[in-house]
Amino acid sequence: MNNLHPNLQLTPFPTAIPAWQAPIVAGDLQLICHKVRESGGRLVAIWGRDRREAGFVLHVLLLTQTGLLCLNLPLSRQVPSYPDISRIFPSANRMQRAVYDMLGMAALQAADQRRWLRHAAWADDSFPLRKDFDAQAALRSDLDDYPFVRVEGQGVHEIPVGPVHAGIIEPGHFRFSVVGEKVLRLEERLGYIHKGIEKRFESSTLQQGAKLAGRVSGDSTVAYAWAYAMAAECIADKTPPDRALWLRALFLERERIANHLGDLGYLGNDVAFSFGFAQFWILKEQVLRHNAALFGHRYLMDAVVPGGVSVDLDEAGKKVLSEECAMLTREVQLLRRLYEEHAGVQDRFIGTGRVAPKLAAQLGLCGLAGRASSQAWDMRVQFACAPYGMLDVQMATHQNGDVAARVNVRFDELLESLRLQREIMANLLGTGDLAYPLASLPANGFGVGMVEGWRGEVMVAIHTDAAGNLDRVHPHDPSWQNWPVLEHAIIGNIVPDFPLINKSFNLSYSGCDL
Amino acid sequence: MYQIIRQIIKTGIKTEAAPQSDESLRVTPAHLQQQILDAFGGALSIRLVDAGSCNGCELEIHAVNNAYYNLEGLGIKFVASPRHADMLLVTGPVSRHMEVALKRTYEATPDPKLVVAIGECACNGGIFGTDVDNYASCGNIANVIPVDVAVSGCPPTPVAILQAILTAISPEK
């Protein structure tokens, strides 16, 4: 990592994964990003921070072959602007726009300067994450008019969809430009469920923040709670008890199992194979019921806390989960065969919504969808935090990048998670401490946590103030990277295949709208 | 095909008995005439509006469609447009960016209509706070549109959601 720039002063984070930070000057930002990109690295997240008299800081989190690198770029109070990096990492586009909306920190000469998270709920020149933001004075209830890119030509027409969608799904707006049935262009507009989560963190205690982190995206509650706890433990420079780490891995794999089961059911449903929906959702319901009976919550909310976990698993519970594992393995293998042998299902899956590996690499596609397009990154494999280092996780990848590939990766990961669940239980012996007390954090701390959620890498960064309170918390969902790629996946497909393609990615709205 | 039929037979019927209605969930006194409720009771169409939830409540609303709770078996189904709906199921807090969309969806739903607020945040703003302490939130659903029945929980279980729906279409006891 030292070869990225001669002046890079790297400081390691005392966190569960390999991670470093380094202060940089504005002139070096693009250079370092270029180097990371050339060596096969990726952009994870961008966020800003208002430090009052000391100005602003821009944080750019990159993932290299050796670990995470957080670049800290101080900006002046008067001119809080920085060099655009969206030409190097296309996924930076929306993140930079969100940083402007929240803090008024601008990416100089960025091609796309449209607002992203802000629609019209607050004044154009107020920025909610600035410490002097006056909510009452800033509120507006105008209707905004977003400048969508128009596609023109003979026979081209637009189909506006949302924000209220036709299914049971989160809100967002999709603008399709089509000729006949064929999609020429899709443009997404999100931000509808922006509910001030980042601002809310700033008035939360460490414990309240853990609950809030677990509700950034409800389907990934374990991943967020773990990433948040990891960031807090990084600041406190402490490691949870072994038993807590094993239980966290168990919860994270159960979250992956439940979500993959649900998605595989819906992917069947979306190609009119309702048998698949019925079968997979029976399996998912059994997982959820076991969660409720053994851990007190169907989705394991609040099971991971800073310092450890809040619930244990006894021998009787292990027996229940062992039997569940055996049943699920058997049923999933059977259903996989039925999906694979069904000509109608495969006809709809194969070749639909294809993202070629080269495009995936260019755009930074990550997580499950990335692995289905040859982007072989899995935090549990390359940067395994405890206890994953002892589990030898087998990464699932595919090179076709179509709906069928994303279905295949889900099947492979589901079966691997069931294997991991068995291994984890074999390591959960006797009893032990579930957590060490972590009531508050040291002052002026900065920590990062990142885990491989079912959708992809979930990252949480925490900054504390001079009193050790939460000064700034930034949760990052892998959907930030993947939403823009969905716009490419649909090109040339027909409109009725959009629900199927969309479901095969199954991205989070709440996790990005914040 | 043989394998599929075999699996269907092996699976059997998983559906459990529906819960009873629960008057304590009622927010607004019942305002629909008995005849209409009888008509709804036979077939109810629901439109879901996520007005700002974390997606947790949606997971449980999906679950009421699974074989165990079998919502469609009760003659209740989700429809794609508010114009086809008798009931709005609303999750949230209502984000300020969804306020107009929620109001328009409510207006697009033909009378007589029912509104059921689903989840802690829909009832009282929940962990995200309210219009008093969050610049981006309008708070609970009743701050934006009239609510008939509300069920809390983070998220409420599928049984609690079913109970709320059934309470809304039952005559007040």
Side-chain angles (χ1 to χ4, degrees):
Chain A
M1 207 174 277
N2 271 316
N3 58 4
L4 291 173
H5 194 276
N7 299 333
L8 213 53
Q9 301 288 323
L10 295 167
T11 316
F13 281 102
T15 190
I17 45 175
W20 292 265
Q21 60 173 320
I24 59 160
V25 294
D28 290 340
L29 178 63
Q30 290 176 331
L31 192 71
I32 297 171
C33 286
H34 261 300
K35 283 252 179 130
V36 168
R37 161 127 224 174
E38 277 169 18
S39 58
R42 298 194 292 113
L43 171 70
V44 176
I46 306 174
W47 69 99
R49 189 155 66 100
D50 177 4
R51 298 192 61 212
R52 298 283 81 202
E53 307 76 49
F56 294 87
V57 184
L58 181 80
H59 299 277
V60 177
L61 187 67
L62 304 166
L63 189 57
T64 72
Q65 307 291 347
T66 43
L68 283 169
L69 170 62
C70 187
L71 304 174
N72 307 327
L73 172 60
L75 304 177
S76 77
R77 177 106 236 127
Q78 294 71 31
V79 193
S81 54
Y82 58 93
D84 166 47
I85 57 167
S86 66
R87 281 168 224 272
I88 306 163
F89 295 113
S91 62
N93 174 324
R94 291 176 184 177
M95 297 182 215
Q96 290 181 165
R97 289 157 67 192
V99 168
Y100 181 79
D101 287 355
M102 291 293 108
L103 282 147
M105 298 160 61
L108 291 172
Q109 285 148 8
D112 191 346
Q113 302 270 5
R114 293 174 296 170
R115 307 301 291 258
W116 182 247
L117 289 182
R118 175 192 173 272
H119 291 191
W122 64 89
D124 187 46
D125 56 356
S126 320
F127 304 102
L129 289 182
R130 287 197 178 178
K131 299 293 181 188
D132 58 358
F133 177 69
D134 180 350
Q136 285 315 314
L139 293 195
R140 300 283 182 278
S141 42
D142 312 335
L143 276 182
D144 74 331
D145 186 15
Y146 187 74
F148 286 96
V149 175
R150 293 287 295 270
V151 177
E152 291 179 353
Q154 202 175 10
V156 179
H157 70 281
E158 286 188 346
I159 309 175
V161 179
V164 178
H165 289 161
I168 301 169
I169 187 167
E170 301 176 86
H173 184 92
F174 298 130
R175 186 69 60 95
F176 296 93
S177 297
V178 302
V179 168
E181 284 280 36
K182 197 170 168 183
V183 178
L184 296 177
R185 187 172 203 281
L186 161 65
E187 186 169 0
E188 298 150 359
R189 171 96 212 266
L190 305 179
Y192 286 92
I193 48 174
H194 173 73
K195 44 190 175 282
I197 290 177
E198 287 176 289
K199 189 77 175 173
R200 197 99 190 125
F201 271 116
E202 295 177 9
S203 57
S204 300
T205 63
L206 179 64
Q207 283 68 28
Q208 288 167 337
K211 286 193 164 232
L212 186 57
R215 285 155 183 82
V216 169
S217 177
D219 54 37
S220 301
T221 180
V222 175
Y224 274 97
W226 191 350
Y228 176 89
M230 194 189 286
E233 288 148 12
C234 168
I235 296 175
D237 195 7
K238 285 192 172 169
T239 308
D242 278 352
R243 190 171 182 82
L245 293 172
W246 284 111
L247 284 165
R248 282 180 181 181
L250 178 68
F251 299 155
L252 190 66
E253 295 313 313
R254 288 186 70 71
E255 180 165 276
R256 194 181 324 275
I257 291 166
N259 278 293
H260 283 4
L261 286 172
D263 281 352
L264 286 167
Y266 265 111
L267 284 159
N269 207 47
D270 281 351
V271 297
F273 191 47
S274 51
F275 163 83
F277 172 79
Q279 290 287 325
F280 276 108
W281 278 72
I282 287 171
L283 302 181
K284 179 175 181 183
E285 180 68 19
Q286 294 183 44
V287 173
L288 300 178
R289 287 182 177 197
H290 286 153
N291 282 349
L294 297 173
F295 309 114
H297 195 284
R298 282 163 60 89
Y299 297 93
L300 304 168
M301 281 179 169
D302 311 322
V304 176
V305 294
V309 294
S310 62
V311 282
D312 202 356
L313 179 67
D314 60 14
E315 287 303 315
K318 277 167 72 175
K319 188 158 176 287
V320 171
L321 293 189
S322 296
E323 284 165 11
E324 179 208 79
C325 246
M327 179 278 291
L328 285 177
T329 307
R330 194 178 62 238
E331 293 292 312
V332 169
Q333 280 168 341
L334 173 76
L335 292 174
R336 181 177 203 169
R337 210 161 54 238
L338 294 180
Y339 268 42
E340 282 172 356
E341 288 170 2
H342 196 288
V345 167
Q346 293 303 319
D347 181 51
R348 292 287 307 278
F349 283 178
I350 294 173
T352 307
R354 185 155 191 268
V355 181
K358 191 176 167 200
L359 182 67
Q362 274 170 356
L363 298 178
L365 189 67
C366 70
L368 177 152
R371 290 190 288 276
S373 293
S374 291
Q375 304 309 299
W377 295 86
D378 186 326
M379 290 297 291
R380 299 173 300 164
V381 177
Q382 282 117 327
F383 309 111
C385 65
Y388 282 106
M390 294 165 71
L391 285 170
D392 191 23
V393 177
Q394 298 299 302
M395 194 191 315
T397 56
H398 209 288
Q399 69 274 8
N400 284 0
D402 54 1
V403 172
R406 291 184 283 276
V407 167
N408 263 308
V409 169
R410 277 186 173 84
F411 271 118
D412 288 342
E413 292 191 353
L414 180 51
L415 291 166
E416 175 68 359
S417 289
L418 289 167
R419 183 188 73 80
L420 294 173
Q421 177 166 308
R422 283 192 297 271
E423 287 228 6
I424 291 165
M425 286 197 295
N427 282 283
L428 270 173
L429 299 170
T431 55
D433 288 342
L434 293 184
Y436 67 80
L438 186 60
S440 59
L441 294 178
N444 300 317
F446 172 26
V448 292
M450 188 150 126
V451 298
E452 190 73 31
W454 69 268
R455 194 179 267 125
E457 311 129 0
V458 167
M459 193 283 300
V460 174
I462 301 178
H463 301 266
T464 58
D465 63 15
N469 297 318
L470 299 180
D471 182 61
R472 176 85 173 88
V473 177
H474 178 69
H476 178 88
D477 198 276
S479 306
W480 278 103
Q481 272 81 355
N482 292 2
W483 273 118
V485 187
L486 179 64
E487 294 183 340
H488 290 263
I490 180 70
I491 293 173
N493 286 258
I494 56 172
V495 178
D497 269 339
F498 180 70
L500 175 65
I501 297 168
N502 191 25
K503 177 52 80 176
S504 74
F505 283 85
N506 194 6
L507 304 175
S508 172
Y509 300 69
S510 185
C512 294
D513 287 357
L514 295 174
Chain B
M1 189 47 123
Y2 161 73
Q3 284 280 351
I4 294 173
I5 293 168
R6 211 177 80 137
Q7 179 72 2
I8 290 171
I9 294 167
K10 195 188 90 190
T11 305
I13 293 173
K14 297 280 186 194
T15 307
E16 298 167 349
Q20 296 293 309
S21 62
D22 178 356
E23 282 304 313
S24 69
L25 301 176
R26 203 181 289 280
V27 178
T28 309
H31 56 89
L32 298 184
Q33 293 172 7
Q34 184 58 46
Q35 307 88 291
I36 298 171
L37 290 175
D38 289 344
F40 274 169
L44 181 80
S45 296
I46 303 179
R47 173 86 282 263
L48 169 92
V49 184
D50 173 344
S53 95
C54 75
N55 200 30
C57 290
E58 280 65 34
L59 297 178
E60 292 298 49
I61 295 169
H62 281 296
V64 298
N65 279 310
N66 76 29
Y68 287 89
Y69 308 104
N70 193 14
L71 190 73
E72 291 211 8
L74 301 171
I76 303 171
K77 64 169 191 218
F78 285 89
V79 291
S81 166
R83 296 196 193 282
H84 305 155
D86 308 307
M87 174 187 284
L88 294 180
L89 219 55
V90 190
T91 63
V94 184
S95 72
R96 297 193 59 242
H97 286 162
M98 274 302 286
E99 184 182 359
V100 171
L102 176 60
K103 283 182 175 159
R104 286 186 182 169
T105 306
Y106 181 77
E107 283 158 16
T109 310
D111 285 317
K113 57 193 161 198
L114 293 160
V115 175
V116 177
I118 299 288
E120 197 73 27
C121 305
C123 289
N124 59 30
I127 195 165
F128 304 108
T130 64
D131 49 324
V132 177
D133 58 2
N134 185 338
Y135 72 93
S137 172
C138 300
N140 59 2
I141 310 299
N143 277 350
V144 180
I145 57 171
V147 170
D148 295 285
V149 168
V151 60
S152 62
C154 183
T157 61
V159 169
I161 293 170
L162 268 181
Q163 214 164 22
I165 294 170
L166 294 174
T167 302
I169 55 171
S170 304
E172 196 164 349
K173 287 173 191 143

